[in-house]
Amino acid sequence: VVFNCSDSLDYKAMGKFFKGLASAGAWACFDEFNRIDIEVLSVIAQQMITIVAAIKNRQKRFLFEGCDIVLKDSFAVFITMNPGYAGRTELPDNLQALFRPMSMMVPDYGLIGEIMFISFGFGDAQRLGRTMVATFRLCSEQLSSQSHYDYGMRAVKTVIVAGGRLKAEEPDESEEMLLLRALVDVNVPKFLSMDLPLFAGIIKDLFPTLDTPEIDNGKLEVAMREAIRDQGLQEHHFLITKVIELYMMTLVRHGMMLVGPTGGGKTKCYKTLQQAMGKLREEEDFEAVKTFILNPKSITMGQLYGQFDDITHEWSDGIVANGMRDFVVDTSPEKKWIMFDGPVDAIWIENMNTVLDDNKKLCLNSGEIIKMSEEMTMMFEVEDLAVASPATVSRCGMIYMEPRSLGLDVLVKSWIQYRLPEAAKQHGEQLQKLFDDYLDPCIFWLRRNIEEPVPTVDNNLCMSCLNVMDCYMNTYIVKEGIDEPLSKHRLDQLAKTIEPMFLFAFTWSLGCTGDLNGREKFDKWFRGHMQEKGVQMPFPDEGMVYDYVLDTYSTQDGKANPDPQWVNWLDTRPEFEMPKGAEFQDMIIPTKDSICYTYLFDILANNQKMCLHTGVSGTGKTVNIMRYLQQGLNPSKQMPLTLTFSAQTSANMTQDILDGKMDKRRKGVFGPPAGKQYIILVDDLNM
């Protein structure tokens, strides 16, 4: 029996193991033994001493933990452990004395490669083994050092397995070419864009007579392009390449990680492959895919894998155990992917070690071991592997997705193509030109000149701009059979306001994440850039670009104004009058900022857009939002719900608060009272 130890193992669970092993005379290998807590290890030492003493005395029966049990002397325990890193302990001396230590040296990869190549039917195995080892050595010396790079034994094995698969498919192809393709297929997906030219150089040096071949992924590529269009995305060559790399990786690994900063297209990558394989399920080599998706950091370790009740000592299964069991029982030939969408840390991921290596077994603390079926794949979607242990990194195939390679143009194109209302479609080219003129130059300038109290990523800034644009564009949506068609006056107004709308949205997305000093710099840069591009309706010269709102209604009589204009925030409200008999602490005097932020909350909330309001303490964030929730909502449609986070808040508490306020619609579906929508405020999110 091979068992993956974890820090939640206690002496009772280990006692059960030892009873069974001693009675059966079986062997067990306890993997990652030094992950068990030091307190438990000292009790395990006592349990081992009892059994070892009984074997020495050649007893047939002995007393163990209050039970009289049979003892067979073929009983043996092996432990494996990595030297210390996060989540590891030192073994106590009395336990060390019971085990004979044996240190494992780094093996001769060349020899292993040669033997495995021969087993896959390669003729020139010795030279191929040497070339492969040289490739990995040069990569480790010349390429950048990243937490998700690994050139160890498992990487070597993956290359050989990939080469063996290619050899079986194309037995007449030259063996050097097969190795070249295997090295490229396995290594290129994980490299950052700056390392790719270096890797290409290494490959050119080692295979001087060969060129990297263009592989034709005929049916798969056609199905992928269809799936990409179905999801309303752009057929970008980077996304297509990554989807193909993911498919290739699923053929040689049963554990893989999609790594990269947020917005790089990780989720869409596996969803595209899932849909494409579903379209091709009638063809050979392809099956439909079922997925089981969870966020491992949103719940406790006990809820993830299972736990014993502290009082009754009853076992309750975790989410992963249940999901795996359901997939194991399902004997259909469909592929089954378990997707962990959340950050990896050295604690929860280590429990997957035996799942991700060749054992393919999930070991639960109850003693149950669930074996993965052939159709199952473990996938992880993570931002980085800075805190993952080397054990984890080497076990998984890596596919690195860089938002930079995807660019921002794809977001804008998809928005114009799929999200613009029909009435605004004719202005698509004008909008595309505005984004081309402002977006990239602004981000280039921002990253060099602005300090952000809360860091942002480029594609999120672009999405913020599109969200504010959506709020304006949604007023031009015409629902057939319900709304009147748009009048000529409204269409003329839209044509005039496209550019000022964009300038306003741009100011309150890309221009609003810096501090006060940053805003002054942005104001100067933005005005200069607008002058350069020749704007029809620039912001007024007084004050800053943040002082104005686009007003499509005249402020006096409330009728639609054919000429939209820039209005100062304070002019959009009647003058403030002190209410009679008001308490001092209840008076809130509207300022330019509070009017502005309330307006932004209002348009975003009414269009179902999320909003993160940041700033140092004492700047009136809570006051502004609370006042909006009390006075600005439409009570017939919207209801406020406030949560305050603290350092003690857990995911379970948050869910309980939300569930408590919701009405049950039907089994497993909760929501606000019928016909209403909750506007949820989370106060002190970062606590």
Side-chain angles (χ1 to χ4, degrees):
V1 181
V2 176
F3 188 80
N4 191 39
C5 301
S6 78
D7 51 1
S8 39
L9 266 181
D10 59 6
Y11 74 94
K12 289 180 184 167
M14 290 301 287
K16 278 184 186 168
F17 260 112
F18 286 139
K19 283 176 193 171
L21 294 168
S23 306
W27 286 10
C29 172
F30 291 107
D31 212 356
E32 318 283 4
F33 195 64
N34 58 343
R35 290 189 61 222
I36 300 174
D37 287 337
I38 191 86
E39 297 85 355
V40 180
L41 285 174
S42 58
V43 181
I44 291 173
Q46 293 304 315
Q47 293 173 335
M48 278 293 295
I49 288 168
T50 311
I51 302 174
V52 171
I55 292 176
K56 274 185 186 164
N57 298 334
R58 306 215 167 146
Q59 289 171 271
K60 292 286 179 237
R61 298 184 76 83
F62 77 121
L63 270 177
F64 182 79
E65 302 250 311
C67 297
D68 181 13
I69 56 173
V70 178
L71 174 65
K72 294 194 176 160
D73 59 2
S74 54
F75 160 86
V77 171
F78 300 81
I79 60 176
T80 67
M81 47 188 267
N82 281 325
Y85 45 80
R88 304 293 168 120
T89 47
E90 277 293 303
L91 296 192
D93 294 345
N94 59 344
L95 190 55
Q96 277 183 9
L98 292 168
F99 290 96
R100 172 182 162 191
M102 193 169 96
S103 174
M104 302 288 280
M105 294 292 107
V106 176
D108 178 350
Y109 294 159
L111 189 59
I112 291 172
E114 184 186 332
I115 294 163
M116 286 186 73
F117 276 128
I118 290 172
S119 73
F120 277 116
F122 285 83
D124 195 0
Q126 192 173 10
R127 195 161 57 88
L128 296 179
R130 279 205 307 269
T131 310
M132 181 182 63
V133 172
T135 311
F136 280 123
R137 193 187 68 249
L138 289 167
C139 286
S140 63
E141 288 167 3
Q142 294 184 12
L143 270 51
S144 67
S145 169
Q146 302 291 332
S147 51
H148 66 275
Y149 287 3
D150 166 63
Y151 309 109
M153 187 64 238
R154 290 191 178 97
V156 169
K157 182 176 177 258
T158 308
V159 170
I160 299 166
V161 171
R165 201 179 55 76
L166 292 169
K167 179 76 173 166
E169 284 173 12
E170 303 170 33
D172 302 329
E173 179 67 86
S174 91
E175 293 183 353
E176 256 197 300
M177 181 53 100
L178 294 177
L179 175 63
L180 169 63
R181 278 173 55 188
L183 281 166
V184 170
D185 284 354
V186 171
N187 288 306
V188 165
K190 68 182 170 198
F191 289 142
L192 273 67
S193 51
M194 60 184 181
D195 284 333
L196 286 171
L198 294 170
F199 180 70
I202 292 171
I203 290 289
K204 195 76 201 140
D205 292 347
L206 291 168
F207 301 92
T209 56
L210 299 178
D211 287 325
T212 312
E214 286 293 316
I215 309 298
D216 176 30
N217 296 294
K219 293 175 191 159
L220 183 61
E221 192 163 326
V222 173
M224 273 178 203
R225 287 179 183 276
E226 259 182 61
I228 289 170
R229 286 194 296 273
D230 292 349
Q231 294 174 83
L233 306 175
Q234 299 300 309
E235 294 173 45
H236 195 282
H237 70 90
F238 170 76
L239 179 61
I240 292 168
T241 308
K242 287 295 171 188
V243 178
I244 289 168
E245 286 173 355
L246 180 64
Y247 172 68
M248 293 300 180
M249 193 69 80
T250 57
L251 299 176
V252 289
R253 294 255 199 178
H254 64 278
M256 63 208 66
M257 291 195 173
L258 287 156
V259 189
T262 180
K266 301 188 290 290
T267 304
K268 291 298 180 196
C269 177
Y270 80 81
K271 290 207 163 151
T272 303
L273 181 58
Q274 182 187 2
Q275 286 189 22
M277 287 174 73
K279 289 176 191 293
L280 295 171
R281 62 179 177 275
E282 304 301 324
E283 312 279 340
E284 58 175 339
D285 296 339
F286 294 101
E287 286 292 346
V289 179
K290 288 181 183 170
T291 52
F292 176 70
I293 304 162
L294 71 150
N295 177 353
K297 291 290 278 181
S298 65
I299 47 179
T300 62
M301 284 270 281
Q303 291 165 332
L304 198 58
Y305 295 108
Q307 61 195 1
F308 285 108
D309 188 290
D310 290 341
I311 301 156
T312 61
H313 209 67
E314 249 178 59
W315 175 259
S316 55
D317 265 326
I319 294 177
V320 177
N322 278 332
M324 275 190 75
R325 212 178 275 118
D326 291 347
F327 277 169
V328 170
V329 172
D330 180 358
T331 53
S332 66
E334 292 174 337
K335 300 280 179 208
K336 300 156 187 96
W337 296 348
I338 298 183
M339 174 57 78
F340 294 84
D341 184 350
V344 159
D345 65 35
I347 309 299
W348 76 261
I349 189 78
E350 296 271 314
N351 292 354
M352 307 284 285
N353 277 355
T354 44
V355 184
L356 296 172
D357 64 21
D358 290 353
N359 291 303
K360 292 194 179 184
K361 289 173 179 172
L362 178 68
C363 303
L364 305 175
N365 286 337
S366 60
E368 185 187 0
I369 294 175
I370 303 173
K371 178 126 171 73
M372 274 175 80
S373 61
E374 278 304 310
E375 297 83 30
M376 280 167 67
T377 302
M378 292 283 172
M379 289 194 188
F380 302 86
E381 196 182 312
V382 297
E383 181 158 0
D384 59 45
L385 291 165
V387 291
S389 66
T392 304
V393 176
S394 69
R395 280 174 165 83
C396 290
M398 299 290 166
I399 292 168
Y400 189 76
M401 300 197 66
E402 258 175 311
R404 236 196 341 227
S405 306
L406 207 53
L408 301 177
D409 200 35
V410 286
L411 296 174
V412 177
K413 277 186 174 155
S414 292
W415 180 76
I416 290 171
Q417 202 172 331
Y418 298 104
R419 293 264 290 277
L420 273 189
E422 275 308 309
K425 279 275 197 279
Q426 63 199 35
H427 303 295
E429 277 182 32
Q430 184 190 356
L431 282 163
Q432 181 69 55
K433 186 174 184 322
L434 284 167
F435 276 103
D436 290 346
D437 286 349
Y438 289 88
L439 195 58
D440 284 337
C442 179
I443 283 180
F444 182 81
W445 177 86
L446 269 179
R447 293 296 173 227
R448 280 154 185 74
N449 296 288
I450 299 287
E451 276 195 22
E452 294 180 321
V454 177
T456 57
V457 286
D458 297 353
N459 38 27
N460 180 240
L461 290 177
C462 177
M463 283 309 296
S464 299
C465 184
L466 297 176
N467 282 339
V468 180
M469 287 295 284
D470 269 340
C471 297
Y472 281 120
M473 290 297 173
N474 287 350
T475 58
Y476 293 93
I477 292 175
V478 177
K479 292 184 183 126
E480 280 184 33
I482 302 171
D483 298 340
E484 295 285 314
L486 292 175
S487 63
K488 183 172 184 311
H489 166 74
R490 285 277 280 155
L491 290 170
D492 291 348
Q493 194 191 37
L494 174 63
K496 284 179 185 165
T497 50
I498 284 276
E499 189 181 63
M501 261 182 216
F502 172 80
L503 298 176
F504 179 81
F506 200 79
T507 306
W508 288 105
S509 53
L510 282 95
C512 67
T513 57
D515 50 14
L516 185 62
N517 184 17
R519 287 194 177 191
E520 286 166 6
K521 288 183 189 170
F522 178 81
D523 177 64
K524 261 187 208 153
W525 177 88
F526 195 30
R527 285 181 186 279
H529 200 71
M530 283 191 287
Q531 208 167 354
E532 207 178 291
K533 296 292 174 196
V535 171
Q536 300 290 317
M537 196 180 135
F539 289 94
D541 293 336
E542 290 169 30
M544 291 181 10
V545 291
Y546 302 97
D547 298 344
Y548 297 95
V549 60
L550 180 66
D551 190 30
T552 47
Y553 292 88
S554 62
T555 42
Q556 283 74 36
D557 52 8
K559 287 182 183 162
N561 184 356
D563 290 321
Q565 55 196 351
W566 294 112
V567 179
N568 194 302
W569 288 109
L570 288 168
D571 296 343
T572 59
R573 289 280 181 93
E575 204 160 300
F576 178 74
E577 285 182 11
M578 200 75 74
K580 283 196 177 128
E583 292 287 323
F584 175 74
Q585 65 271 19
D586 296 338
M587 288 189 294
I588 298 175
I589 298 172
T591 64
K592 188 174 64 186
D593 284 346
S594 69
I595 296 170
C596 163
Y597 293 135
T598 307
Y599 173 80
L600 290 167
F601 295 144
D602 192 44
I603 61 171
L604 289 166
N606 286 322
N607 288 284
Q608 285 84 52
K609 306 286 183 197
M610 317 294 171
C611 175
L612 178 64
H613 199 37
T614 63
V616 292
S617 58
T619 45
K621 300 186 293 293
T622 308
V623 171
N624 271 333
I625 301 179
M626 291 302 267
R627 192 178 59 161
Y628 169 67
L629 292 180
Q630 285 159 9
Q631 299 168 10
L633 295 186
N634 175 353
S636 63
K637 290 183 183 169
Q638 296 164 317
M639 293 172 69
L641 172 55
T642 307
L643 312 173
T644 304
F645 277 11
S646 74
Q648 305 306 315
T649 306
S650 69
N652 279 9
M653 283 160 59
T654 308
Q655 187 161 348
D656 289 342
I657 294 169
L658 290 174
D659 286 350
K661 302 270 170 135
M662 302 279 181
D663 292 359
K664 191 169 183 178
R665 300 272 175 87
R666 55 180 189 277
K667 189 180 179 223
V669 179
F670 295 82
K676 298 212 174 174
Q677 180 197 6
Y678 270 135
I679 308 284
I680 300 176
L681 161 64
V682 180
D683 210 356
D684 290 332
L685 174 75
N686 57 333
M687 297 285 281

